[in-house]
Amino acid sequence: MMKTDMRIGFGADVHQLVSGRELILGGEKIEYDRGLKGHSDADVLIHALCDAVLGAGGLGDIGEHFPDTDPRYRGISSLILLKKCADLIREKGYEISNADCVIFAQAPRMGPHKKKMEENMAGVLALDPDRVNVKATTTEGLGFAGRGEGIAAQCTVLIKSISG
């Protein structure tokens, strides 16, 4: 009988909203008066997903692999970082089974963009889009997200051994 090795990873990230930047979430450009502050494109959703993937593989975190002090990552698309994370766990003999993500933002409304975010991330991860789920919630006006000062995201992934 073949034994399947499965592991779960969790990732979370927060970025401040600032003027003069595009808002990119899940690899999707969203029209808004501000964007997220960061060294890369500051895609908080994909950063949380990267951390979940790396965590499931026992590979540390996004800052260890793509430090914000490295000029190679200035302005880089986070979709590229996600692809590198997926490659790292494949090298360890795992593949992503599914991802479940949530965005915490008072505004803008995420509903019209969620399906495209799922497709963008699934494409990079070589998954069927129904294996990547994006949810969004407000914080009912509470905290930094509720005051419109930033956006947070959390993701959970399940990975399984390729040989399994």
Side-chain angles (χ1 to χ4, degrees), residues 45 99-103 114-115 117-118 121 132-136:
L45 178 58
D100 189 31
C101 306
V102 61
I103 302 167
K114 292 188 309 183
K115 187 60 67 188
M117 291 177 201
E118 292 167 352
M121 294 184 294
V132 177
N133 188 60
V134 175
K135 303 178 291 279

Side-chain angles (χ1 to χ4, degrees), residues 1-139:
M1 183 162 114
M2 226 176 220
K3 185 176 178 182
T4 301
D5 182 20
M6 294 187 292
R7 299 173 76 165
I8 295 172
F10 176 78
D13 198 21
V14 175
H15 282 268
Q16 180 183 6
L17 281 164
V18 294
S19 297
R21 297 251 330 185
E22 290 183 330
L23 179 59
I24 310 290
L25 290 169
E28 188 68 11
K29 181 181 175 192
I30 298 172
E31 291 299 321
Y32 194 55
D33 65 341
R34 292 170 290 154
L36 295 170
K37 181 179 178 180
H39 184 69
S40 65
D41 64 3
D43 188 328
V44 69
L45 178 58
I46 291 182
H47 292 183
L49 183 53
C50 285
D51 266 348
V53 170
L54 292 169
L59 295 167
D61 64 47
I62 191 171
E64 292 172 44
H65 292 273
F66 315 108
D68 62 7
T69 55
D70 190 330
R72 292 180 296 170
Y73 305 120
R74 180 171 297 286
I76 194 170
S77 168
S78 293
L79 288 168
I80 294 170
L81 305 181
L82 180 59
K83 172 76 167 89
K84 290 178 186 238
C85 292
D87 290 346
L88 286 170
I89 66 155
R90 280 189 193 97
E91 289 170 14
K92 280 193 76 169
Y94 291 92
E95 63 186 1
I96 297 167
S97 179
N98 72 296
D100 189 31
C101 306
V102 61
I103 302 167
F104 300 88
Q106 200 65 34
R109 306 253 337 137
M110 299 296 160
H113 309 285
K114 292 188 309 183
K115 187 60 67 188
K116 186 64 176 148
M117 291 177 201
E118 292 167 352
E119 291 170 359
N120 292 342
M121 294 184 294
V124 167
L125 297 173
L127 294 173
D128 288 331
D130 70 345
R131 294 197 170 262
V132 177
N133 188 60
V134 175
K135 303 178 291 279
T137 187
T138 69
T139 59

